[in-house]
Amino acid sequence: MKPLRVTLGLLTIWMVCAGFQPETSDKIAKSTTRDIYREMLVAINAERTKEGLAPLEIDEKLNEACGWMAEDVSTFEKLSHTDSRGRTPDVRADEAGYDWGFIAENICGGAKTPKEAVELWMKSKNHRKNMLSPQAKHLGVGYYFRPKSKSLSYWVVLFGATR
């Protein structure tokens, strides 16, 4: 089975997510990119709405940066905000053409669904802070499924706002 790459959005935060079940990831692997974008966007915006914050909108440039990073994280199985080329989230956003004034990233390995990734991030002070930043206006999402890897599913989101 070839790895599946799906890009989603815009915030830089990372953590290991436990509890992976292959049958759930198979469902994710069969989802369309738009389905996964929508699920992540809905889950994140639900948390923002609870806090009285404006909803985010998907940004394709951030999706590009996140998709690349999700594949990179899955390849090297290292949950880090610095990729294998030594680039940080701000540099990846720049290279994707996103003229950012604010950028933050969340990364997760092993979550079964976008909703599970968001639930885990909400339990982490720094990840929660990124997700609920009033500065964020846009979301980028990346998802990569790598069958023979430690975590199997890898999620990357970027939260951003342009200048």
Side-chain angles (χ1 to χ4, degrees):
M1 178 189 297
K2 282 181 76 177
L4 171 70
R5 175 180 170 184
V6 180
T7 58
L8 299 173
L10 100 110
L11 168 56
T12 304
I13 302 177
W14 67 274
M15 67 184 289
V16 176
C17 305
F20 173 81
Q21 292 181 359
E23 61 275 5
T24 304
S25 285
D26 287 345
K27 290 177 188 174
I28 292 289
K30 293 175 185 171
S31 297
T32 67
T33 301
R34 290 188 190 278
D35 291 340
I36 293 172
Y37 285 178
R38 186 179 61 248
E39 287 179 39
M40 185 65 81
L41 181 66
V42 166
I44 288 171
N45 280 339
E47 296 299 336
R48 291 178 61 84
T49 299
K50 290 176 192 175
E51 300 296 323
L53 296 166
L56 302 176
E57 295 179 5
I58 290 289
D59 183 274
E60 293 303 323
K61 292 175 181 175
L62 291 175
N63 284 348
E64 179 183 331
C66 288
W68 188 92
M69 183 60 172
E71 183 174 0
D72 190 66
V73 167
S74 78
T75 299
F76 297 96
E77 298 189 61
K78 181 180 177 189
L79 297 178
S80 171
H81 294 292
T82 302
D83 66 29
S84 64
R85 296 180 184 170
R87 300 175 305 167
T88 54
D90 56 327
V91 173
R92 289 192 301 276
D94 283 340
E95 290 181 3
Y98 187 78
D99 186 25
W100 61 274
F102 169 80
I103 199 80
E105 176 177 73
N106 287 1
I107 298 174
C108 179
K112 297 175 251 179
T113 63
K115 184 177 179 185
E116 183 179 326
V118 169
E119 288 170 354
L120 290 166
W121 288 328
M122 287 299 290
K123 294 175 184 175
S124 162
K125 180 182 176 184
N126 290 333
H127 296 104
R128 179 184 173 92
K129 179 181 173 186
N130 287 345
M131 203 168 356
L132 299 180
S133 172
Q135 293 177 279
K137 306 296 179 208
H138 304 122
L139 178 69
V141 182
Y143 170 75
Y144 202 89
F145 178 77
R146 187 171 296 276
K148 295 183 180 176
S149 66
K150 180 179 173 185
S151 296
L152 301 177
S153 293
Y154 300 85
W155 303 89
V156 176
V157 293
L158 284 172
F159 300 93
T162 55
R163 294 179 212 252

